[in-house]
Amino acid sequence: MPLLPIILWTDALIFLLLAAIAGFVWYVRRHEHLRAPWWRVAQTPAAMSALVVLAVFIIVGLLDSVHFRLALPAAPGTQTDRTAGRNVAYAVDVKSVLDLLLASIADRPERTYSAPLATHAYAKEMVERPGTGGGPGTQIRDYPRLKYGGAHLRDPQRDRQADVLLTGFRGVALAIPLWLLVSIMLVAACTSAEQLASRAFWHALWSGKTEVPWRAILITLALLLLLVLPVALLSRHYHVLGTDKVGLDVLYLSLKSVRTALVIGTLTTLVMLPFSVLLGIMAGYLRGVVDDIIQYFYTTLSSIPGVLLIAAGVLVLQVYIETHPDLFPTSAQRADFRLLWLCIILGITSWTGLCRLLRGETLKLRELEYVQAAQAFGVSQWRIMSRHILPNVMHIVLIAVVMDFSGLVLAEAVLSYVGVGVDPSMISFGTMINAARLEMGREPMVWWSLASAFVFMLALVLAANLFADAVRDAFDPRVRVGIRKLRFARAEA
């Protein structure tokens, strides 16, 4: 089937960020002083376990960042050969690779709410039952059967529990050999042949005594596979996390929300870093009038409530979209542009904290001997800032970026909840929580939408925080000195 590739603004920026990360990794590998702190991060069990979880979220986000439009079928009686001159028409909906992989979940909507792994609707409706002996049917209030959830069962009340347990057991049985295969391939790709042939290496691996915490990595991978494979098998016949008000699968909505959270957490940093780094270093090194102007600027910006600036920016964008509809031919492009605009606004309103940190660190660095020597030799101010100041504040930049990621993910949820976040047509954790707000007040209470968004956000934010803690410990000189003193005291004791 012909496809029309669609490159959204955020898609291009995501892959540009991936290229920048690849270049950064290549640069770090060539410099020992940069490779050493990252090696300390790689030796931390909690950080590597968190990195495995983050890798799963990143893969989901990347699969959801390759977009295209499917070709519509040809009209009856027309030629299907593209060389015959027929103009191929494409669907309005923009799909992604993740949508194709989740087609079995996304293309099975129910009428309304249904509980996780349910076979019947969550609320009673008028159901017509056929009469006996060919007589007229009767209408009663009962829980109607779902169209897709458990449709393969003849007697859901009798067979559902056994079917769920059997399918889950099949997923576990598939997860074990797959885990062994992936583990062997992963260890073999990162370890020399001599170590693989040594029994001592495998004993140290399972004892947790290797430099790289392979045991923590493999245990985390095993837990993920034991969770993902049973859920994947169950989702073929059930709605594992239930359905929402319009019958959409909550598991599908949760997975689609991952990309929005990652975009908010990563692209916002691309906006805030130029402001923070440039203005912070200039204020600390140049001082005087430049310092006063920059301090006045970010103090004034910090005094304005961020929600008001974001709301004003979203309203301005909404007016621009309504007056230029020809620039946004599809709803996905319109929603993506609003997401990009939200990243820009969040970046503009969140750079002040890092700017203060860099200003204070630069004030200290400009008084050190090597900076004074560069000034004595007549080195220009911009060269001193780029060659001597910037490399020595990068640990602060890196720590701030990693630790701000979780805060930005939570900020998107809060902003979408109050109505000034992403476009309502875009799936995100914030829109899920906003929709679940009304569902929590009904009787019986619909809890699974809010619970699913909470669990996915908790896993993403917790993994990011654990990895951020390891990065901070590895790059912060004060923490490294404290760790050395503690180890020295323990050795003497």
Side-chain angles (χ1 to χ4, degrees):
M1 180 180 293
L3 302 176
L4 178 63
I6 300 294
I7 301 178
L8 303 177
W9 281 98
T10 55
D11 295 341
L13 292 176
I14 285 174
F15 290 107
L16 181 63
L17 180 62
L18 283 180
I21 293 175
F24 177 74
V25 171
W26 174 81
Y27 182 78
V28 168
R29 288 173 60 91
R30 298 183 59 188
H31 295 80
E32 179 63 28
H33 69 284
L34 296 176
R35 193 165 62 246
W38 285 109
W39 177 245
R40 286 192 291 269
V41 175
Q43 292 176 325
T44 307
M48 299 310 293
S49 297
L51 185 60
V52 173
V53 178
L54 286 175
V56 175
F57 282 107
I58 291 173
I59 291 173
V60 173
L62 292 179
L63 291 176
D64 201 19
S65 298
V66 181
H67 292 94
F68 51 83
R69 291 165 63 182
L70 297 173
L72 295 174
T78 60
Q79 295 179 342
T80 59
D81 188 6
R82 298 186 64 183
T83 60
R86 184 180 69 89
N87 294 326
V88 179
Y90 294 93
V92 177
D93 295 335
V94 178
K95 300 290 185 180
S96 67
V97 175
L98 184 66
D99 291 325
L100 293 184
L101 296 177
L102 301 179
S104 59
I105 302 176
D107 297 339
R108 295 186 305 166
E110 304 291 349
R111 290 184 58 187
T112 183
Y113 300 112
S114 64
L117 298 174
T119 58
H120 292 75
Y122 194 62
K124 288 185 177 182
E125 299 178 7
M126 295 300 297
V127 179
E128 183 174 352
R129 287 188 174 180
T132 59
T138 58
Q139 288 188 345
I140 61 171
R141 286 189 60 82
D142 199 359
Y143 298 100
R145 182 78 180 270
L146 296 180
K147 184 177 181 180
Y148 299 102
H152 64 294
L153 301 177
R154 293 185 177 180
D155 188 351
Q157 295 181 351
R158 182 193 64 188
D159 301 334
R160 185 181 71 90
Q161 184 175 3
D163 184 68
V164 170
L165 292 176
L166 181 60
T167 305
F169 178 76
R170 290 174 181 170
V172 173
L174 289 175
I176 294 175
L178 181 60
W179 172 72
L180 291 174
L181 177 61
V182 174
S183 300
I184 293 174
M185 294 175 59
L186 186 61
V187 174
C190 303
T191 310
S192 63
E194 296 179 357
Q195 288 181 317
L196 292 175
S198 173
R199 295 182 59 183
F201 169 77
W202 293 103
H203 182 269
L205 187 149
W206 292 114
S207 301
K209 298 179 181 179
T210 54
E211 288 186 323
V212 177
W214 284 112
R215 185 175 66 174
I217 295 174
L218 298 183
I219 289 176
T220 306
L221 182 61
L223 293 177
L224 287 175
L225 290 176
L226 289 174
L227 175 65
V228 170
L229 286 183
V231 169
L233 293 181
L234 285 170
S235 64
R236 297 169 56 189
H237 302 291
Y238 299 93
H239 301 288
V240 179
L241 298 180
T243 57
D244 64 357
K245 185 176 181 179
V246 296
L248 295 178
D249 192 280
V250 175
L251 177 60
Y252 170 75
L253 297 177
S254 301
L255 292 175
K256 290 286 289 184
S257 301
V258 170
R259 178 186 181 272
T260 306
L262 293 177
V263 168
I264 291 288
T266 55
L267 295 188
T268 303
T269 59
L270 295 180
V271 179
M272 62 177 282
L273 281 183
F275 293 97
S276 303
V277 175
L278 180 61
L279 297 181
I281 294 177
M282 287 177 59
Y285 183 78
L286 299 177
R287 298 193 301 182
V289 178
V290 175
D291 187 19
D292 294 338
I293 294 175
I294 294 176
Q295 284 192 74
Y296 178 80
F297 180 59
Y298 68 60
T299 302
T300 303
L301 186 62
S302 300
S303 64
I304 303 174
V307 177
L308 295 181
L309 291 178
I310 295 171
V314 170
L315 291 176
V316 170
L317 176 66
Q318 193 66 31
V319 173
Y320 178 80
I321 291 176
E322 291 177 356
T323 55
H324 299 81
D326 53 321
L327 300 178
F328 310 98
T330 62
S331 60
Q333 291 172 308
R334 181 176 64 250
D336 181 79
F337 190 74
R338 178 167 172 171
L339 176 62
L340 177 62
W341 185 252
L342 181 62
C343 293
I344 295 174
I345 299 174
L346 284 174
I348 293 175
T349 57
S350 60
W351 62 270
T352 56
L354 180 57
C355 184
R356 285 193 181 100
L357 291 176
L358 295 179
R359 174 185 174 272
E361 186 69 13
T362 304
L363 285 173
K364 181 183 69 175
L365 292 175
R366 76 182 306 275
E367 304 299 332
L368 296 181
E369 290 81 0
Y370 64 90
V371 177
Q372 298 288 339
Q375 293 174 349
F377 279 105
V379 180
S380 65
Q381 292 180 340
W382 289 106
R383 186 167 181 83
I384 291 176
M385 286 188 287
S386 62
R387 295 281 295 181
H388 299 288
I389 303 296
L390 180 60
N392 288 282
V393 299
M394 284 306 296
H395 67 282
I396 297 178
V397 175
L398 187 59
I399 293 170
V401 167
V402 177
M403 298 194 70
D404 287 347
F405 173 83
S406 56
L408 292 170
V409 172
L410 297 176
E412 180 276 324
V414 174
L415 292 173
S416 297
Y417 175 76
V418 299
V420 294
V422 300
D423 191 84
S425 63
M426 175 169 284
I427 303 173
S428 71
F429 292 123
T431 54
M432 289 182 63
I433 294 173
N434 189 29
R437 174 175 56 90
L438 300 177
E439 299 170 358
M440 296 292 290
R442 56 168 289 156
E443 181 63 32
M445 183 176 64
V446 179
W447 52 268
W448 47 86
S449 295
L450 181 62
S452 301
F454 171 78
V455 170
F456 273 80
M457 286 184 63
L458 175 64
L460 177 59
V461 173
L462 180 60
N465 285 342
L466 290 175
F467 188 74
D469 289 341
V471 172
R472 181 198 60 195
D473 295 341
F475 281 86
D476 194 341
R478 294 171 296 180
V479 176
R480 293 204 303 266
V481 172
I483 292 174
R484 292 194 189 101
K485 290 182 178 179
L486 181 61
R487 289 177 178 174
F488 183 73
R490 288 179 178 177
E492 287 186 342

